Amino acid sequence: MKAIERVAVLGAGVMGSGIAAHLANAGMRVLLLDVVPAEPDEAEKRAGLTTADRAVRNRLAAAGLETAKKNRAFYVPSYAANVELGNLDDDLARLRGCDWVIEAVVENLEVKQKLFAEKVVPNLGEGAILSSNTSGLSIEAMASVLPPELRKRFLVVHFFNPPRHMRLVEVVPCRRTAPAVLEGMTALLRKRLGKGVVRGKDTPNFVANRIGVYTMCNGFRHMADLGMTVEEVDAVAGPATARPRSALFRLADLIGLDTLFYIAKNTRELLPKDKDRDEFTVSPAMEAMVAKGLKGNKAKQGFYRKVKGPDGTERTLVYDLAAQEYVEASSPRFASVDATKGIEDPGKRLAAVLAGTDKAAEFTWRNLRDTLLYAFRRIPEIADDVVAIDDGMKWGFSWELGPFEMLDAIGVRAFVERAKRDGVKVPPALAKVERFYAEKGAKRRFRTLGKTPGWGDVPRPPERIDLGEVRRAGGLVEGTDKASILSLGDGVLCLEFHSKMNAIDGDVLAMVDRAVARAASDGVGLVIANHGRAFSAGANLASIAAAIRERRFDEIEALIRGFHRALMGVKCAPVPVVTAPHGVALGGGAEIGLHSAGLAPHAELTMGLVEVGVGLLPAGGGTKELALRAIRLAEEFEADVTPFITKNFRLISMAKTSGSAAELREMGMLRQGDAVTLDLDALVYNAKQRVLGLAPGYRPVSPASDLRAPGRSVAAGLESSLWNLRVGGFLSEHDEKLGRAVAGVITGGDVPAGTLVPERWFLELEREAFLSLCGEPKTLERIEHMLKSGKPLRN
Ligand code: NAD
C-alpha cells in the first residue's frame, strides 16, 4: 500500500469535518469537499455574491471547517491550516493527487453509489485507497458500482463521533479488498491516527452500534417493566456497573434521540433473521419525544433539560415518560450502588451491584443478562472473536469492561445458573465455557469459540509495551504498594506509579530517587510512565490538608525538600529520563515532566501547574523551572526577560492547562525533539525509543549557577497588574496574594535585576512561599473544597 499523506474527505458534515480535523492532527494534508449550494444565502446575496463565486460554492466545506474549530476538533487551532476547502464540482480533478479518499456524505446508498460512480471513480489516483464512513449500509452494495480493480482498495473505515476523541474505528473489508490494504490501513489508523481498530463484517451497524444500541433499547424495556425512572436507571447504569457517567439516558441525549431511534429501526428492518430484532424498538412515549423536538443535547432538551431559575442558578429537569413532561430531577440512592463506593476494580463494582437485592440490582441483572447473551450469540456473525466485541464496546461506548470481560467478572458459571433460573435460554456452548480470558506467562489469552473451541493470544503489536505483561514476564526490579521499577529491556528501566489516583507523596518520591539511581548504575536510561486513567494529578492533597490542619508544617517542608531532591535528581541524572504522561499530569505530575530530559506525551493530555487553584504555588521545582526557561530564552534571543517571565507567570497564576499535548509546545513545556504520540498503546514503547536515542553520548545537566534573576522591578510590574485586576473585580484578595507569591518566586525574589543566582536559590524561594501559603486559612478552604467537590474554589 502506498504511503498516505494527502487525503480527501467528501462531505463536510458532522463526521466529515471531524475526520478532516483529526487527519490534520496527525499531520496529514486534507482536502475537504462538499456539494455546491443551489443558491447564495441571504448574507451572500447582500455581499453581491452568486453561485459563480468560490465563497458560495465552497460554503458547506467552509462551514464544516468552522464547526470543527468550534468543537475543538483540532489539537491546536493552527492545525486547521492543513485543511484546504473545495467543492464536489470544481475540485474533483484534485482527487488525483490524494492517497486516500474518504466518503462521509449522507447515509443514503443511492447518493453514495452515484458519488462513487460519477465523481470518484473517474478522478481517483492510481493506487489510492477509497473508504466509506457509512454506519451500516452494505459494503458489497457500495462496491457493486466500483470497477473490480478498485474494489481491492475499497473498504469501510467507520469513525465514531467525535473522531478526535472516540478511540474506536471499525474496519470492514468487501469481498475483494486486498489483504495488504486491510493490514496497511489498520496499521495506519492505529499508529498514525491513534485509533483502536476493530474488524467488522458486512452486517448492519457493524459491531459496537449493534451491541450498544441493543443494550440501550433492552434497558428501556426493563426500565418500564420495573417501573423505574430515568434518573433511577442512570444512577446504576454508569460507573457503578463499569460504564461511563453518561449511563443510559445521558448517552441517548448525547447521541441524539432521532439518530438513536433511526439506528434501532434500521437494525430491526435489516435483520429479518435476528431472533432478537424486536428488541430494537422504542416506546411510543419516546417516539413522541422526537416529534416534540426533544432530541437530546443538540436540541438542548432530551431526557434531561437544564433550566435557569430567576436568580440565574441552573437546575436540571428530567423527562417523566409516564406523564410525558419534565419534572424536577432527584438523586435516587440505592444500597446496591452505594456498595460500590471506593471500589477501584470495575469488575468488583459490577459484582457488588449484582449481589444487591434492590430495583437497581435487578435492572442491571436483566439488562446485562440479555446483552451478554446477545453478544455471545453474535459471534461469528458480526465479529470473529470476543476480543473484537470487547474492544468495540470499550473504545466505542467507553465501557470499562467489554461484555466478555463482564462475564468473567460475574463468573460464567454463576451467570449461566442465574439466567437459567430466570427461565432464559442459554446457548449450550456458553454453558461449557469457564472463562473468556486467562493469562499465560506474559501473554493474555482469549477463549476461541466455534466448532473447535480453544485459546488464542490477544494480539499485541510489537510497538506496544504493556507494563502488566512486563511484570508477569518477571520484569519487576523492585516495588512498593505505590510505585514499581520495571525493566523494559535494552537497559531501559521504567518507573510506574500505582498509588491511589497516582498521587505523589514522600514514598513515591523515594521511589523516584531509587529509580534514577538504579538506571544510572544498571542501565542506560529511565522512562516514567503508567497505564490507567491518568498519569498523575499531583501531590497527595489529602495528606497536605491533614498536615495543615494539625499544624505539622515540618512534614510539609520535608515533602517539598523531597520533591526538590527527587526532581533535581531526575533533571541531573547521569542517564536520560523520559516522562510519558497521558490523560492528566497536573501539579507535581507536570513538574516531573518539566524536569525530564525528554517529554513523550500522549496526544490527549491535560497538563499544567494548577496549584493556585488550591491556594498554593508550584513548589516541586515548577515555578523554578519556568523562571529558568524564561531566563534562558531571553539570553538566547538577547532580549529583555520581562515578556518571557510574564508569559510563564501567567501560566502559573492562571493555572493554565493544556487542551492537548500539542498545546504544550505553545506553552513552552514541550521542547525541541519532544514528539507527541497519538497511539496510546505505543506510549511506553516510544518513550523507551526516545531514551535509547538520547542515551549514547548523553551529557548530564548540571544545576545552573548563573541565572540572572529578573528581580524586584519585574516583580513590581507583575504586582501592579495583579492590583489592577483585583480592583477591577477580576481577582479576589486571596487570588492577588497568590499571584504576588508566584511573582516573588518567579522573578528571583527581592534582588536587583540581573543578580546572578543559582538554581537552588529559586527552590528555596519556592519552599518558603509554599509554607507561608499553607498558613493561610483561605488556602485550606480551597484544598478542602477541591477534595470534596473536585473543583477549584475562588475565595
Ligand atoms: P451530516 O448530515 O452531518 O453530513 C452529511 C454531508 O453530506 C453534508 O455535509 C451534506 O452536504 C452532504 N451531502 C448531502 N447530500 C449529498 C449528495 N447528494 N452528494 C454529496 N454530498 C451530500 O451527516 P454525518 O453525521 O456527518 O454522517 C456522514 C456519514 O457518516 C454517514 O454515512 C453516517 O451514517 C456516518 N456516521 C455518522 C455518525 C454520527 O454520529 N453522526 C457516526 C459514524 C458514522
Side-chain angles (χ1 to χ4, degrees):
M1 198 183 87
K2 69 191 267 193
I4 289 185
E5 286 307 328
R6 273 200 76 92
V7 188
V9 179
L10 316 183
V14 175
M15 292 307 291
S17 60
I19 293 168
H22 195 60
L23 297 169
N25 287 336
M28 296 176 181
R29 315 267 336 159
V30 187
L31 177 63
L32 180 61
L33 308 180
D34 208 313
V35 289
V36 174
E39 54 179 302
D41 63 20
E42 288 310 315
E44 288 162 347
K45 279 184 199 155
R46 277 198 301 277
L49 298 173
T50 69
T51 44
D53 289 294
R54 264 288 181 168
V56 177
R57 299 178 75 74
N58 290 357
R59 187 211 307 146
L60 293 181
L65 183 65
E66 284 314 306
T67 309
K69 285 188 202 163
K70 212 173 80 219
N71 292 344
R72 296 177 188 268
F74 294 100
Y75 287 160
V76 285
S78 62
Y79 284 6
N82 273 32
V83 181
E84 286 177 59
L85 303 176
N87 65 66
L88 286 165
D89 282 351
D90 306 329
D91 298 289
L92 292 170
R94 295 166 78 188
L95 295 186
R96 205 164 293 285
C98 293
D99 313 308
W100 178 16
V101 174
I102 300 176
E103 170 279 307
V105 304
V106 281
E107 185 77 337
N108 176 313
L109 182 62
E110 273 169 37
V111 170
K112 290 188 198 267
Q113 284 178 328
K114 196 157 178 263
L115 181 79
F116 286 150
E118 292 175 8
K119 304 204 163 173
V120 178
V121 171
N123 294 294
L124 201 64
E126 207 176 309
I129 306 292
L130 175 64
S131 75
S132 168
N133 193 53
T134 180
S135 303
L137 296 175
S138 162
I139 180 162
E140 294 305 338
M142 286 186 280
S144 67
V145 301
L146 303 177
E149 202 280 325
L150 178 52
R151 291 181 206 169
K152 291 183 198 155
R153 289 175 275 125
F154 176 60
L155 70 170
V156 163
V157 175
H158 181 226
F159 286 87
F160 276 63
N161 188 24
R164 168 180 167 181
H165 293 286
M166 292 306 296
R167 185 137 181 234
L168 181 61
V169 169
E170 291 172 331
V171 166
V172 186
C174 71
R175 268 195 297 273
R176 293 285 201 90
T177 310
V181 167
L182 203 54
E183 293 305 321
M185 289 304 288
T186 300
L188 176 99
L189 290 162
R190 224 168 18 80
K191 293 189 204 171
R192 188 88 189 264
L193 299 181
K195 294 297 155 196
V197 180
V198 163
R199 182 79 54 86
K201 300 191 177 188
D202 194 4
T203 55
N205 299 318
F206 309 128
V207 180
N209 282 337
R210 179 81 171 271
I211 306 293
V213 174
Y214 175 93
T215 198
M216 294 179 83
C217 292
N218 174 274
F220 298 151
R221 178 164 69 79
H222 288 306
M223 165 202 185
D225 291 349
L226 289 165
M228 291 171 81
T229 66
V230 164
E231 310 121 284
E232 284 177 334
V233 168
D234 276 1
V236 68
T241 48
R243 284 167 294 170
R245 272 179 221 295
S246 52
L248 176 53
F249 290 99
R250 273 187 292 273
L251 176 62
D253 278 353
L254 195 73
I255 297 174
L257 271 56
D258 50 344
T259 307
L260 176 65
F261 299 168
Y262 170 81
I263 302 176
K265 179 166 160 267
N266 192 25
T267 312
R268 191 172 64 241
E269 283 171 3
L270 294 173
L271 289 166
K273 288 197 192 128
D274 185 338
K275 290 200 190 81
D276 294 293
R277 60 193 281 266
D278 287 342
E279 199 70 84
F280 292 89
T281 310
V282 299
S283 68
M286 286 190 194
E287 296 272 14
M289 288 177 72
V290 175
K292 282 197 263 183
L294 313 180
K295 292 184 187 169
N297 295 359
K298 61 185 161 191
K300 295 198 167 56
Q301 49 184 0
F303 288 107
Y304 293 93
R305 176 153 86 182
K306 287 215 165 80
V307 287
K308 273 207 174 123
D311 60 348
T313 53
E314 214 174 55
R315 59 189 218 286
T316 304
L317 302 181
V318 62
Y319 199 69
D320 179 335
L321 281 161
Q324 304 204 17
E325 61 184 24
Y326 285 99
V327 295
E328 293 292 333
S330 61
S331 308
R333 295 276 300 267
F334 293 103
S336 63
V337 175
D338 288 347
T340 66
K341 293 268 149 61
I343 304 180
E344 289 236 350
D345 182 322
K348 294 202 173 111
R349 263 183 266 137
L350 175 59
V353 169
L354 289 175
T357 51
D358 53 23
K359 243 184 339 186
E362 183 59 24
F363 170 83
T364 302
W365 164 248
R366 291 189 195 181
N367 184 217
L368 288 184
R369 174 197 63 200
D370 297 349
T371 301
L372 305 187
L373 286 171
Y374 187 69
F376 183 81
R377 288 195 300 263
R378 300 281 71 76
I379 297 175
E381 179 198 341
I382 64 169
D384 282 332
D385 53 53
V386 296
V387 183
I389 294 187
D390 280 347
D391 284 345
M393 295 313 292
K394 287 190 286 185
W395 295 334
F397 277 75
S398 305
W399 287 17
E400 284 178 86
L401 298 173
F404 299 95
E405 290 169 328
M406 285 187 179
L407 276 164
D408 279 357
I410 299 167
V412 186
R413 287 259 162 87
F415 174 90
V416 168
E417 293 302 314
R418 190 167 169 186
K420 282 185 179 163
R421 280 202 301 277
D422 289 355
V424 171
K425 228 174 125 200
V426 175
L430 177 61
K432 288 192 199 129
V433 174
E434 209 160 306
R435 7 183 346 100
F436 284 96
Y437 291 93
E439 276 147 15
K440 191 175 177 213
K443 283 186 181 148
R444 187 162 190 244
R445 315 193 78 202
F446 68 95
R447 184 79 195 208
T448 53
L449 303 170
K451 286 198 184 78
T452 49
W455 291 92
D457 291 341
V458 175
R460 189 179 54 72
E463 70 286 351
R464 165 166 200 192
I465 295 179
D466 180 297
L467 298 178
E469 275 181 21
V470 171
R471 194 182 288 271
R472 290 201 297 279
L476 178 68
V477 177
E478 66 171 296
T480 66
D481 56 336
K482 293 180 181 166
S484 301
I485 301 169
L486 304 164
S487 167
L488 302 181
D490 303 318
V492 181
L493 296 184
C494 176
L495 174 65
E496 178 195 26
F497 302 147
H498 39 72
S499 56
K500 199 157 188 229
M501 320 268 290
N502 291 339
I504 302 168
D505 61 10
D507 299 343
V508 172
L509 292 168
M511 284 299 280
V512 174
D513 297 337
R514 293 187 64 78
V516 170
R518 268 200 187 269
S521 63
D522 308 346
V524 301
L526 177 70
V527 167
I528 305 182
N530 50 55
H531 300 319
R533 243 179 265 176
F535 176 69
S536 173
N540 187 333
L541 265 189
S543 64
I544 293 179
I548 293 177
R549 264 185 246 115
E550 291 156 26
R551 311 203 72 72
R552 288 182 271 117
F553 293 110
D554 51 335
E555 266 179 38
I556 299 177
E557 179 162 14
L559 177 72
I560 299 300
R561 286 188 192 280
F563 258 108
H564 290 165
R565 185 199 61 239
L567 298 202
M568 286 307 285
V570 165
K571 181 169 179 173
C572 302
V575 290
V577 179
V578 171
T579 296
H582 71 285
V584 166
L586 300 176
E591 287 170 316
I592 294 176
L594 290 174
H595 284 81
S596 305
L599 199 61
H602 180 241
E604 297 293 350
L605 178 66
T606 303
M607 176 163 151
L609 298 170
V610 294
E611 285 83 347
V612 299
V614 288
L616 296 166
L617 92 176
T623 310
K624 175 269 298 178
E625 198 56 31
L626 291 204
L628 185 149
R629 289 185 185 194
I631 293 167
R632 293 291 187 233
L633 267 177
E635 281 168 3
E636 192 182 326
F637 292 103
E638 294 179 20
D640 175 18
V641 73
T642 312
F644 299 100
I645 280 287
T646 305
K647 178 184 168 195
N648 287 357
F649 164 77
R650 289 209 183 111
L651 291 180
I652 297 175
S653 61
M654 295 165 80
K656 164 88 180 148
T657 54
S658 61
S660 67
E663 212 180 321
L664 290 172
R665 211 173 287 283
E666 293 169 4
M667 289 163 69
M669 292 188 176
L670 210 58
R671 290 177 292 183
Q672 228 169 8
D674 285 343
V676 171
T677 292
L678 272 72
D679 178 6
L680 187 59
D681 284 345
L683 195 62
V684 180
Y685 175 88
N686 287 350
K688 177 185 167 186
Q689 297 309 112
R690 184 81 197 288
V691 166
L692 291 174
L694 288 170
Y698 181 69
R699 191 162 186 279
V701 175
S702 302
S705 55
D706 58 343
L707 296 170
R708 280 177 206 287
R712 63 174 78 101
S713 52
V714 179
L718 298 176
E719 284 165 7
S720 79
S721 66
L722 288 167
W723 183 84
N724 277 326
L725 287 168
R726 213 245 312 139
V727 172
F730 298 103
L731 295 183
S732 70
E733 239 173 70
H734 197 47
D735 286 332
E736 187 186 358
K737 185 174 277 179
L738 288 162
R740 282 171 172 274
V742 176
V745 178
I746 204 166
T747 54
D750 191 12
V751 294
T755 307
L756 282 182
V757 293
E759 198 164 343
R760 199 183 55 246
W761 170 260
F762 284 90
L763 294 176
E764 278 161 23
L765 293 174
E766 272 188 2
R767 180 168 47 80
E768 280 165 23
F770 190 90
L771 283 168
S772 145
L773 290 172
C774 284
E776 296 282 339
K778 290 206 160 159
T779 285
L780 185 57
E781 273 176 38
R782 284 193 180 196
I783 299 178
E784 286 177 335
H785 188 271
M786 176 60 79
L787 287 168
K788 220 183 290 159
S789 70
K791 295 196 179 92
L793 170 75
R794 292 285 300 275
N795 57 358

